[in-house]
Amino acid sequence: MPVSATGSSLNNPRPGPPLWLLAELTYRCPLQCPYCSNPLDFAETRDELDTESWFRVLREAREMGAAQLGFSGGEPLVRPDLPELIAEARRLGYYTNLITSGIGLTEAKVAQFREAGLDHIQVSFQASDPELNDAVAGSKKAFRNKLAMARAVHEAGYPMVLNFVIHRHNIHQMDDIIRLCEELGADFVELATCQYYGWAFENREGLMPSADQLATAETKVNAHRERLAAAGSAMKLIFVTPDYYEERPKACMNGWGSLFLTVAPDGTALPCHSARILPIEFPSVRDQSVSSIWYDSPGFNRYRGDAWMPEPCRSCDEKDKDFGGCRCQAYLLTGDADNADPVCGKSPHHDRVLAARRAADHATAPLAELTYRNARNSRVFAKA
């Protein structure tokens, strides 16, 4: 395929700048959620970018046009330099979002982050009750801490944004989850049904809800939306359907290397936070500028535009909507990232998604049998 001086295919237009930067500050985390999107071998990553390196990444991305910045992990609160990073991001003009489990957060830190210029905090929960929440998180104090910190975030004047990853072990709690969010004064609630990457893919058979469970949950969410609207409540419920129950793929990341740039803890730059599973050599911000990575690197140009597409994507009249779907999903389900996303009903591999749905109708794996995200299990995967 002919390649231009910028590294883009001559059949594909030069991309615009990255607008959303996800700074994965660390893979360290006090929780052990079995659906974590971090790579299975995360324990092998020990050499995290230092403060000055992150300052440079933030500056270079901002100079290119990046406007939104997410601090993520692992658990970003384990980084002692987080207040400095927030302050630098504010100085550069980013809108900043802290994505946190709430474990390690304190009222003093909330105030410190507010003073440093943090715009937004999203707190995640695992369930609506302490027993299930703590069992999923692998921590006996997680739920209590989350409740306290969600209230502290609200009292500090931040928008109350809560996230629940929904799977077969908590999908029955939809009414209780929404009631808890009301009690906490939530403004936005993301009910994100599990997407199967990282540890979630490893645990798919034990996490994936059945079609009946999903339909019941969605019906309940819609009923609560109507109730909240009738009561004049401003709380917004965002219900994210799992890809495996769709017939057309999502426009993953709005297109490969189009808007989103992720920088992993070790400095690896990625088009999305799951992309390092792919057999592609991605560049590091330790070795190249953010601009060079974004515009020139083979990894970021690999799936831009449509010149790479095989059939049925190449001749599909929806390719400008879904961009061929998710490359990571194609790789995980077919072993070849070039294939059409198997979620698509037009994909020759769609039967694999249908088989996963059928398996979910009969799954019986208890929570205790899931493979939990922790350093010990990660080292096992690293050796495999």
Side-chain angles (χ1 to χ4, degrees):
M1 183 185 298
V3 175
S4 72
T6 65
S8 299
S9 161
L10 294 176
N11 295 324
N12 296 332
R14 179 178 170 87
L19 300 180
W20 217 110
L21 173 63
L22 181 66
E24 290 188 317
L25 300 180
T26 182
Y27 287 143
R28 291 173 288 158
C29 183
L31 303 187
Q32 304 181 52
C33 305
Y35 46 72
C36 181
S37 63
N38 286 167
L40 296 176
D41 62 352
F42 73 86
E44 296 297 292
T45 301
R46 299 183 181 89
D47 189 15
E48 298 175 356
L49 291 179
D50 61 20
T51 307
E52 290 301 320
S53 296
W54 276 115
F55 281 0
R56 178 177 58 80
V57 169
L58 300 185
R59 182 179 68 253
E60 290 180 0
R62 184 75 184 103
E63 288 171 352
M64 292 173 66
Q68 298 236 23
L69 172 63
F71 291 114
S72 180
E75 175 48 70
L77 292 172
V78 306
R79 289 279 303 220
D81 58 354
L82 184 55
E84 297 172 64
L85 296 173
I86 292 169
E88 178 65 5
R90 167 50 63 94
R91 187 187 70 81
L92 292 168
Y94 281 101
Y95 181 89
T96 50
N97 178 23
L98 175 64
I99 304 165
T100 176
S101 68
I103 308 302
L105 195 60
T106 63
E107 292 183 9
K109 286 184 179 179
V110 172
Q112 185 181 25
F113 296 159
R114 188 75 167 174
E115 178 67 23
L118 184 66
D119 295 295
H120 182 282
I121 299 177
Q122 175 185 294
V123 179
S124 66
F125 280 79
Q126 281 71 33
S128 60
D129 68 281
E131 291 77 19
L132 181 55
N133 186 101
D134 294 353
V136 174
S139 169
K140 295 180 179 179
K141 299 179 180 179
F143 188 78
R144 184 176 64 207
N145 290 347
K146 288 170 181 290
L147 279 182
M149 288 306 101
R151 293 185 175 113
V153 168
H154 188 266
E155 289 170 4
Y158 281 106
M160 173 58 71
V161 182
L162 303 179
N163 171 270
F164 290 78
V165 176
I166 304 299
H167 46 82
R168 71 179 301 109
H169 298 284
N170 67 1
I171 197 168
H172 63 284
Q173 294 188 334
M174 203 58 66
D175 291 330
D176 291 336
I177 287 172
I178 293 170
R179 278 194 287 267
L180 173 63
C181 294
E182 288 184 90
E183 290 172 11
L184 291 173
D187 297 296
F188 298 92
V189 181
E190 184 179 21
L191 303 163
T193 51
C194 202
Q195 306 291 359
Y196 299 100
Y197 307 96
W199 294 79
F201 186 78
E202 182 69 21
N203 288 302
R204 188 184 70 190
E205 291 185 10
L207 291 173
M208 189 167 166
S210 68
D212 286 345
Q213 286 177 312
L214 185 65
T216 298
E218 193 162 13
T219 297
K220 289 182 177 180
V221 172
N222 288 334
H224 281 289
R225 284 175 175 150
E226 293 178 5
R227 177 182 62 80
L228 291 167
S233 171
M235 188 171 86
K236 304 298 182 184
L237 302 178
I238 303 166
F239 187 79
V240 183
T241 305
D243 290 358
Y244 280 51
Y245 284 101
E246 300 286 1
E247 289 300 316
R248 289 291 180 270
K250 64 175 179 277
C252 189
M253 310 307 291
N254 203 53
W256 181 276
S258 173
L259 295 177
F260 295 88
L261 169 64
T262 295
V263 178
D266 62 357
T268 302
L270 302 163
C272 77
H273 61 273
S274 296
R276 69 187 311 158
I277 67 168
L278 300 177
I280 295 174
E281 185 175 348
F282 289 105
S284 172
V285 296
R286 297 179 191 272
D287 307 318
Q288 295 178 239
S289 69
V290 174
S291 178
S292 174
I293 287 169
W294 182 258
Y295 290 114
D296 303 335
S297 68
F300 273 77
N301 282 295
R302 180 65 182 86
Y303 294 113
R304 279 176 170 149
D306 59 17
W308 63 271
M309 291 182 181
E311 294 295 347
C313 298
R314 179 166 296 192
S315 58
C316 180
D317 59 4
E318 296 184 57
K319 67 181 181 181
D320 293 331
K321 298 178 182 177
D322 59 38
F323 310 107
C326 177
R327 297 303 88 221
C328 298
Q329 203 149 250
Y331 179 72
L332 286 168
L333 289 171
T334 75
D336 186 346
D338 289 3
N339 284 331
D341 187 337
V343 161
C344 184
K346 299 179 182 181
S347 168
H349 304 288
H350 187 58
D351 62 306
R352 302 184 189 192
V353 170
L354 297 179
R357 293 181 197 172
R358 289 192 296 271
D361 286 335
H362 307 288
T364 58
L367 194 64
E369 291 184 7
L370 299 180
T371 302
Y372 282 78
R373 179 243 193 248
N374 55 49
R376 178 176 55 81
N377 286 334
S378 178
R379 285 191 286 268
V380 171
F381 285 116
K383 293 177 181 177

